Amino acid sequence: MTSDSCLPLLFLIHNKLKILPEEITSLKNLRTLHLQHNELTCIPEGFEHLSCLEDLDLSSNRLATVPADFALLSSLLRLNLSSNQLKNLPAEISRMKRLKHLDCDANLLETVPPDVGSMESLELLYLRRNKLRVLPEFPSCRQLKELHLAENQIEKLGAEHLQHLQAILVLDLRGNKLRSVPEEMALLQSLERLDLSNNDISSLPCSLGNLHLKFLALEGNPLRTIRREIIAKGTQEVLKYLRSKIKDDRTNQNDSVPETAMTLPSEARVNIHAIATLKLLDYSDKQATLIPDDLFDATKTTLITSINFSKNQLCEIPQRNNFLSSLPEEMSSLTKLQTINLSFNRFKVFPEVLYRISTLEAVLISNNQVGSVDPQKMKLMENLNTLDLQNNDLLQIPPELGNCVQLRTLLLDGNPFRVPRAAILMKGTAAVLEYLRDRIPA
């Protein structure tokens, strides 16, 4: 095989290979290696020398272990280990700093090493049809867009599993043993598809109604708080019903709990847990014309990194304080702010002050009237990885936005521009940025 050392692609799919020849490790320029549907039980020594390998498919074999040396495949972007006999994954897999797609479906995994939660580049994680009972936390997986956990034995989902998934679009928990859904699920403002079917869930938090879900599956649960006919009408009717329950609860609280200067507006309306553990100040969807001072008092001893005042009727930012159309310059002093949600307001341009908050990782400004963004200033926002500009008034997307390579999630649907076309948008952020770069004038 040495004479073929420049070979970039090798496909050996659907054969009866039981072992791989050691000579394969001499293919130093190999970028794609597909070995699915064979009878491999082990991987030869020296495999880690394939330093250029980007796409490795070992699915549908008979592998029982993955060698720790796999971590040395430093260029790997996609790794498919599905349909093998793996009982565990090596913790060293987290050293694959460029890995975006990890597929471990249909194995015998009972646990996932906590180290997986430190994989900063991971975008797609498939763990369906295993024997998982608990989940790892994902403190560094801020690029994770899809998490597939269907058909396991997971019994509990907590705030610690959700709090860092700010870019998540798809969460599949079908066919587990969940009995409840945490309130913190409502913090996943990017979530579009949530599958909770075939679990043991008897009730849902009403705050789920505030998510902008396109798909919500609930079939096969012993739900007692939502009538079957509502579920049968589909996702939007379920969300509408949950939102109505929020308003009902708020009315009941206002009738029964007199507000005084000594109490918060209502502990049921102010998520104390989110303030303390998630560093999130959330006072969204209250139909409020102002933010109560007592709410800010509750944050004095806590470092706040995210603020959500969306879906209100605010006319100005509180002076210490939804029809927001501008932000005060003083916000540039928020030197630890990571996420800001300005959706459903009246902004006509991207707020100038945000360009100067270098710590920002996510800007959610959908459903406004934004007509322009400055790509040169946005490129300087080195930590920005999520930008939601859906449903605004962008007549054109500046090609220079393609140079903002730090973006991992760029959402542009619902704007009146003609290019990029919908077909390009559907290919995802990387394809959109590449398309824009190709249109920059020479």
Side-chain angles (χ1 to χ4, degrees):
M1 290 184 124
T2 53
S3 61
D4 296 319
S5 60
C6 292
L7 190 70
L9 308 173
L10 179 57
F11 298 91
L12 295 168
I13 304 167
H14 282 285
N15 283 286
K16 295 184 178 180
L17 296 173
K18 289 183 169 58
I19 58 172
L20 291 175
E22 291 186 7
E23 289 85 353
I24 203 170
T25 62
S26 67
L27 301 176
K28 303 300 184 183
N29 292 300
L30 196 62
R31 295 184 181 276
T32 298
L33 176 58
H34 285 196
L35 297 164
Q36 59 265 43
H37 293 283
N38 278 285
E39 299 175 8
L40 299 174
T41 57
C42 64
I43 296 165
E45 291 185 8
F47 207 76
E48 67 277 6
H49 298 317
L50 299 175
S51 58
C52 291
L53 198 60
E54 296 179 351
D55 183 356
L56 174 59
D57 195 331
L58 288 162
S59 62
S60 299
N61 277 282
R62 299 177 182 177
L63 299 174
T65 59
V66 174
D69 287 346
F70 250 43
L72 300 176
L73 296 174
S74 57
S75 297
L76 209 60
L77 300 175
R78 179 180 179 272
L79 174 60
N80 191 341
L81 296 167
S82 64
S83 298
N84 277 284
Q85 299 170 20
L86 301 175
K87 293 185 178 180
N88 54 62
L89 294 174
E92 289 81 2
I93 202 169
S94 63
R95 297 178 189 170
M96 294 179 173
K97 296 303 183 183
R98 298 186 63 199
L99 195 67
K100 294 183 177 182
H101 183 157
L102 176 59
D103 190 340
C104 296
D105 279 355
N107 276 283
L108 304 172
L109 298 175
E110 295 183 2
T111 60
V112 176
D115 309 68
V116 169
S118 67
M119 300 178 74
E120 296 181 359
S121 297
L122 200 60
E123 295 182 4
L124 306 176
L125 178 58
Y126 292 84
L127 293 165
R128 296 174 297 197
R129 298 190 299 282
N130 279 283
K131 297 183 177 182
L132 299 176
R133 293 183 180 274
V134 295
L135 286 178
E137 298 177 19
F138 299 98
S140 300
C141 296
R142 298 183 182 275
Q143 313 297 333
L144 194 61
K145 298 175 184 176
E146 298 188 17
L147 179 56
H148 296 268
L149 298 161
E151 299 178 50
N152 279 282
Q153 301 171 33
I154 299 167
E155 298 179 355
K156 182 183 177 184
L157 191 66
E160 65 274 15
H161 302 120
L162 302 173
Q163 62 189 32
H164 301 293
L165 301 180
Q166 60 188 33
I168 198 77
L169 299 174
V170 177
L171 180 56
D172 182 2
L173 292 159
R174 179 181 73 255
N176 279 282
K177 296 182 178 180
L178 294 174
R179 295 184 179 180
S180 62
V181 179
E183 288 278 354
E184 288 76 13
M185 185 73 77
L187 301 179
L188 306 182
Q189 287 294 305
S190 296
L191 193 62
E192 295 181 355
R193 298 179 62 86
L194 175 60
D195 194 337
L196 296 169
S197 58
N198 299 323
N199 277 279
D200 298 323
I201 300 167
S202 58
S203 65
L204 292 175
C206 296
S207 56
L208 276 187
N210 290 331
L211 291 176
H212 310 298
L213 294 174
K214 297 178 181 178
F215 174 82
L216 172 62
L218 298 170
E219 299 81 3
N221 283 287
L223 287 167
R224 302 188 186 96
T225 54
I226 304 179
R227 299 191 305 276
R228 289 182 180 274
E229 56 265 32
I230 294 176
I231 295 175
K233 290 180 179 179
T235 298
Q236 298 311 314
E237 284 299 315
V238 172
L239 297 179
K240 181 179 178 181
Y241 172 80
L242 292 172
R243 287 194 296 271
S244 73
K245 296 298 290 182
I246 295 174
K247 294 177 181 177
D248 290 346
D249 291 346
R250 190 175 299 143
T251 300
N252 292 336
Q253 291 160 7
N254 289 341
D255 289 343
S256 59
V257 183
E259 285 189 13
T260 71
M262 299 301 293
T263 62
L264 284 173
S266 167
E267 288 197 3
R269 286 186 286 157
V270 179
N271 193 330
I272 303 298
H273 177 79
I275 291 176
T277 63
L278 307 185
K279 299 179 176 57
L280 168 70
L281 179 56
D282 187 356
Y283 199 74
S284 59
D285 199 21
K286 309 294 187 189
Q287 304 304 311
T289 57
L290 56 84
I291 305 299
D293 289 342
D294 289 338
L295 178 63
F296 292 98
D297 292 339
T299 69
K300 285 182 176 178
T301 59
T302 304
L303 172 65
I304 297 296
T305 59
S306 302
I307 298 175
N308 186 358
F309 290 161
S310 59
K311 288 191 177 180
N312 280 294
Q313 298 181 28
L314 303 176
C315 295
E316 61 178 355
I317 287 285
Q319 292 182 351
R320 155 160 96 151
N321 183 13
N322 221 10
F323 298 130
L324 289 175
S325 59
S326 64
L327 295 178
E329 290 300 311
E330 290 79 3
M331 284 191 67
S332 61
S333 64
L334 299 176
T335 57
K336 296 185 182 296
L337 188 63
Q338 296 175 347
T339 301
I340 187 166
N341 188 340
L342 299 168
S343 303
F344 294 93
N345 279 287
R346 298 290 177 85
F347 290 95
K348 294 187 176 181
V349 296
F350 191 87
E352 190 72 22
V353 67
L354 297 186
Y355 293 124
R356 300 196 294 278
I357 304 179
S358 60
T359 54
L360 273 175
E361 297 178 0
V363 176
L364 312 178
I365 192 168
S366 65
N367 295 277
N368 278 275
Q369 301 166 16
V370 174
S372 64
V373 294
D374 188 328
Q376 306 300 337
K377 294 178 179 177
M378 193 159 288
K379 184 181 178 182
L380 300 178
M381 300 173 73
E382 296 181 353
N383 291 300
L384 187 67
N385 56 58
T386 300
L387 177 60
D388 185 352
L389 285 163
Q390 295 178 102
N391 301 317
N392 277 285
D393 293 335
L394 294 168
L395 292 174
Q396 61 180 8
I397 304 300
E400 292 78 10
L401 193 62
N403 289 328
C404 297
V405 293
Q406 75 274 26
L407 289 174
R408 295 293 179 266
T409 301
L410 174 61
L411 304 175
L412 296 169
D413 292 318
N415 282 280
F417 58 78
R418 294 187 177 182
V419 291
R421 302 185 310 278
I424 299 294
L425 297 182
M426 289 178 64
K427 292 181 179 179
T429 298
V432 172
L433 295 178
E434 182 179 1
Y435 172 86
L436 292 172
R437 284 196 298 273
D438 289 344
R439 295 175 63 87
I440 296 175

